[in-house]
Amino acid sequence: MKNIFISVGYAVLLFLFASSCKVSESKGPNQDYTDADSVVVVEPKEVNLPQHFPSEYRGARTRFIDLVHTKLEVSFDWEQQYLFGVATLELSPHFYPQDRLILDAKGFDIDYVHLLNAEGETPLEYTYNGKELNIELNRPYYIDENFLVSIKYTAKPNELKVKGSDAITSDKGLYFINPTGEDPNKPKEIWTQGETEASSCWFPTIDSPNQRSTQEMYITVDDEFKTLSNGKLVYSRENVNGTRTDYWNMDLPHAPYLFMMAVGDFAIVKDKWKNIAVDYYVEPDYEKYANSIFGNTPEMMGFFSKILNYNYPWQKYSQVVVRDYVSGAMENTTASVFMEALQVDNRYLLADNWDGIIAHELFHQWFGDLVTCESWSNLPLNESFANYGEYLWAEYKYGKDAADFEGLKEMESYFREAKSKQVDMIRYYYQDKEDMFDSHSYAKGGRILHMLRTIVGDDAFFTSLHEYLKENEYTAVEIHQLRLAFERVTGEDLHWFFDQWFLASGHPQLNLEHTYQERQLKLVVQQIQDFRTTPLYKLPVDIDVWVNGQKKRFSVIVDSIYNEFTFDLPDQPELVLFDGEQYLLAEINNTQTFEELSAQYRLSDKFLARYRAVEALSDTLSVPTAGATVFAALDDSFWAIRQLAIHSLDKYDGPGKAKVEQKLAQMGKDDPNPKVKADALAALEFYGADKYRNLYKGGLADSSYVVNGAALYGYLQTAAEDKDEVVHSFEGYADANVQLAVANYFVENKRYDKYDWFTDNLAKSKGVEKYYLINLFGQLLINAPEGLQKAGAALLEPIALEDSSYFIRLSAFQALLLLDNVEGVPEMRKRIKENETDERLIEYYENF
């Protein structure tokens, strides 16, 4: 599962850093430095920590009976949004004799339950409470004795009480999209989403991650539709009533939450890796872009197979894009599902790609599908690896800087969450299994794996992963099996690493102080985290020291509250870089001079060291050393550091302003990265948009939408007389960068005649784009004619009531607040408040 955390903010990237760098004035070689006895200890920050044992123990589900094989025969009633099914389950007692079978089956009508044997079908007695089907078997069954049960049922997903989380917004399992075809902007589709335990909303099963079965699926649909499921399509049979039945067979065992199907008018673009079929299912309008979006998949399969020394383990691999998906993506075995945001054209792909999410779901095919966490408490064994798969692919395909930039974003995500939530990675106590889908399981987990890789080395790391996969293939696992694999390979007891990182909460908080006297460098490292809730860490770390332009590395272990290290050096060091590999997941308080930070940017080849140096100097640009370093970063080899330098120099008005302006103009014209070029164009508005009218006009013709959007914003700030014509030429663009620039222009110029433009685009938009478009629509309506205000309010109310994304519902509610004097709007807001179930919005709405 790929959880897409959306940060609501347009054209602004919020960076929260793992290292907090403080700048002090330079000191000469003969000046006194603070000695170790006077080092200031920073008190640990307070965090709202949950109670350690908030609920009962959440272990693996006891296996009384094991799934062996699942056969499903399904058809659909689009109008009523029902699934008609017959499930035939082959089962076997796990160890003890069993005379009763309990299946998860949510919200079904049960027609019959039969035992199948050589004599035919025997009805079985059962009770059903709407959640569990409790079946009395005809006799006790013993270990290794298989039996078959057939259940005819009707699934009614829309009649279920739906819950959800930030990661997976709904848990009804089966989804009918535009079932009656009334919405001209959406295709008719059916798709499933099983994680965590929602597969039992569309077929009866033992819905637990420590169960596995082989599978066959007979899907009957109208002939106009394509189908997709796990495994291979064996045949399609035309039926006399104009329908078609597709038979899909999955001959390797996998967990029930990974079962899937999708039905729709898909274009299927065929690819392959070796002799394995690799197919991309997209809407017909995006058929010509499918290879551009997903085309790196075969190379990813080859790369992951090679580094793991374990070939892709399944019969085929398909990727399907669906509408109104309830998460970012899902790693169903052999058939991953993706949100509609992946359907983009080649111009979008000039500035960005979806390789991260594609690599994430593909790496799950090994970590999560082949080897599956035995309980949701062990979810990081799935998600940490999938997140690290993103890092590995970026490192291989785009270079170490690109991978470390992704790593930085992972750290930021975790540290943001850690301000209010610090819990064990492997959590046997939680309120709801959905709580496991957080930045701990994803982002922190990926960073932990990177630390483990750095500590044991690449050869041992990937050899250990191979051992873990081979030892546990097609089974369910817990965290200790990963540890034992690493211990067998390395020969080292790694309890210390797994205990402090996977089985405890929090992270290190470090105070650093270094001095140089009498040809000796002294480095003091203090651990200052709250030891009531967070361990005292053992941290193997390298200290990189540059003297006279030469680097020397010292390897140490930080393992006490107070650590003091001394190193003999011939001269005053230019730079002392703690954590030379820049791999620690830690908050680091380090007082550095301007000269040291400048040297850190110049001397270290590590992305994080360079990035953090530029960031730390950004607030002190008036100091010549700081300003010169940030200016130099405009020529950095990696685009994200150039982008950071532009943000740092935004509205710069100090010495060398003309030189900065000249450089930004050159970057706005020539930078090879569209995001950097766009940010340079945006920054130039500070210097007077009219000066750069021609530059903006050139950007309007750029191939990248990102550049188009920035250029359009800039051009519309000039005194050009053709602005209406220019905006009109972009009205048909669907890309958010352009569309929001157009919308903003319409609002600023009170273009009430563009009401239909807003409503048409609102019907098609999604995600953050829709959030801001609603906001701008509300602003347009503030002084609009009364008729438009009422019509707009009527359009906003169902969005505020029904949209699956809480932040879009919030945006619609906020837009209605702007129309509070319009007749009927107060009543709308009351209905919205009464209908809302998200605790965040309920609390917010209480203010109104």
Side-chain angles (χ1 to χ4, degrees), residues 354-381:
W354 291 103
D355 274 16
I357 193 171
I358 293 168
H360 182 108
E361 305 312 325
L362 177 58
F363 212 50
H364 264 311
Q365 300 295 316
W366 287 268
F367 298 94
D369 297 5
L370 177 68
V371 179
T372 308
C373 63
E374 69 170 16
S375 65
W376 301 118
S377 296
N378 282 274
L379 181 69
L381 287 172

Side-chain angles (χ1 to χ4, degrees), residues 146-159:
N146 292 10
F147 60 93
L148 289 171
V149 173
S150 178
I151 303 156
K152 185 177 181 181
Y153 65 98
T154 301
K156 301 179 176 181
N158 287 356
E159 296 178 18

Side-chain angles (χ1 to χ4, degrees), residues 426-443:
I426 305 299
R427 271 164 271 169
Y428 292 104
Y429 297 89
Y430 53 72
Q431 294 290 356
D432 191 294
K433 58 186 177 298
E434 305 302 329
D435 298 341
M436 290 297 302
F437 292 81
D438 58 11
S439 275
H440 283 66
S441 293
Y442 288 77

Side-chain angles (χ1 to χ4, degrees), residues 262-454:
V263 176
D265 179 22
F266 301 114
I268 305 174
V269 177
K270 296 187 176 298
D271 207 340
K272 68 178 181 178
W273 176 69
K274 293 188 173 180
N275 293 319
I276 293 176
V278 179
D279 296 335
Y280 317 131
Y281 288 63
V282 296
E283 293 173 29
D285 286 348
Y286 291 90
E287 181 176 8
K288 59 186 174 183
Y289 306 120
N291 275 314
S292 299
I293 299 164
F294 292 107
N296 283 333
T297 302
E299 187 178 356
M300 288 182 191
M301 295 169 76
F303 167 64
F304 290 148
S305 296
K306 182 178 180 180
I307 63 167
L308 296 171
N309 191 25
Y310 193 117
N311 279 343
Y312 176 78
W314 308 104
Q315 306 98 312
K316 68 108 165 53
Y317 190 54
S318 299
Q319 296 169 108
V320 58
V321 180
V322 301
R323 289 294 188 103
D324 297 347
Y325 196 51
V326 293
S327 188
M330 180 62 204
E331 67 276 11
N332 308 297
T333 316
T334 77
S336 292
V337 179
F338 294 88
M339 61 183 176
E340 65 196 89
L342 269 74
Q343 292 189 142
V344 295
D345 63 18
N346 290 339
R347 292 183 65 182
Y348 174 97
L349 294 167
L350 291 172
D352 218 337
N353 62 59
W354 291 103
D355 274 16
I357 193 171
I358 293 168
H360 182 108
E361 305 312 325
L362 177 58
F363 212 50
H364 264 311
Q365 300 295 316
W366 287 268
F367 298 94
D369 297 5
L370 177 68
V371 179
T372 308
C373 63
E374 69 170 16
S375 65
W376 301 118
S377 296
N378 282 274
L379 181 69
L381 287 172
N382 292 9
E383 298 301 345
S384 298
F385 276 104
N387 261 38
Y388 199 53
E390 299 179 49
Y391 180 96
L392 293 172
W393 170 252
E395 182 181 36
Y396 161 80
K397 185 68 174 178
Y398 303 109
K400 190 69 164 59
D401 282 357
D404 286 339
F405 183 46
E406 296 305 312
L408 172 62
K409 290 188 283 188
E410 296 284 87
M411 283 192 284
E412 292 167 0
S413 175
Y414 163 67
F415 281 124
R416 282 196 296 272
E417 183 170 273
K419 290 181 178 180
S420 58
K421 176 182 181 180
Q422 292 184 18
V423 290
D424 297 352
M425 286 290 294
I426 305 299
R427 271 164 271 169
Y428 292 104
Y429 297 89
Y430 53 72
Q431 294 290 356
D432 191 294
K433 58 186 177 298
E434 305 302 329
D435 298 341
M436 290 297 302
F437 292 81
D438 58 11
S439 275
H440 283 66
S441 293
Y442 288 77
K444 184 181 183 183
R447 292 294 83 205
I448 291 172
L449 292 174
H450 186 65
M451 287 189 289
L452 182 58
R453 174 188 174 188
T454 305

Side-chain angles (χ1 to χ4, degrees), residues 63-70 88-94 101-104 146 203-208 210-214 253-257 259:
R63 291 165 60 186
F64 298 106
I65 291 179
D66 289 335
L67 288 169
V68 177
H69 182 72
T70 301
T88 304
L89 308 180
E90 183 178 355
L91 306 113
S92 178
H94 184 74
L101 169 64
I102 299 176
L103 297 174
D104 299 297
N146 292 10
F203 67 94
T205 187
I206 304 174
D207 207 351
S208 175
N210 64 351
Q211 288 282 346
R212 303 182 83 86
S213 89
T214 52
H254 64 142
Y257 79 90
F259 286 31

